Amino acid sequence: MLQGMTDALDALDPEDRKLITLARATRARNAVPEGAAVRDETGRTYVAGTVALDSLRLSALRTAVAMAVASGAKSLEAAAVVSEATAVTDEDRAAVRDLGGPATPVLLAGPDGTPGTVVTAG
């Protein structure tokens, strides 16, 4: 592992590192463009990959938020996306904002798990 990647991961809260690890594993296991994970107000995590059906298309993050809602989550503490993208889409941020509020952090990491940017859902 490169030293820069280690330093970036070490700077994150352990629970946020866990979100990136879960999102990365889901992306790799399912061979999808994105993996995402969210943590609710009780500390439970929800993990999802990109959904690309003929009749339904959802980003990994929107799918993870939907899973949290369907499981009874009342709020989100944080979210993470692992992708080759360089930014979190407005639609993804809106989904996180709807459940977690505008201050909810959204971490974006590269396919190797290296943290990139952190934005808020707002």
Side-chain angles (χ1 to χ4, degrees):
M1 186 181 295
L2 298 174
Q3 185 62 39
M5 181 174 162
T6 301
D7 293 343
L9 285 173
D10 288 344
L12 288 176
D13 175 271
E15 291 300 313
D16 292 342
R17 280 197 309 258
K18 177 181 170 184
L19 289 179
I20 291 173
T21 299
L22 291 169
R24 183 176 179 223
T26 296
R27 180 182 185 268
R29 181 179 52 250
N30 297 326
V32 291
E34 297 177 330
V38 298
R39 183 175 61 247
D40 75 7
E41 75 282 359
T42 67
R44 291 180 296 185
T45 56
Y46 306 89
V47 183
T50 308
V51 174
L53 302 172
D54 289 341
S55 62
L56 179 64
R57 299 215 177 259
L58 291 172
S59 71
L61 187 52
R62 282 179 271 166
T63 304
V65 170
M67 291 173 65
V69 170
S71 297
K74 303 294 182 218
S75 183
L76 293 180
E77 291 182 350
V81 180
V82 173
S83 172
E84 291 185 18
T86 58
V88 179
T89 69
D90 290 342
E91 294 86 1
D92 282 354
R93 291 176 57 225
V96 172
R97 182 175 56 247
D98 284 349
L99 186 57
T104 307
V106 181
L107 298 91
L108 177 61
D112 64 355
T114 301
T117 59
V118 178
V119 296
T120 60

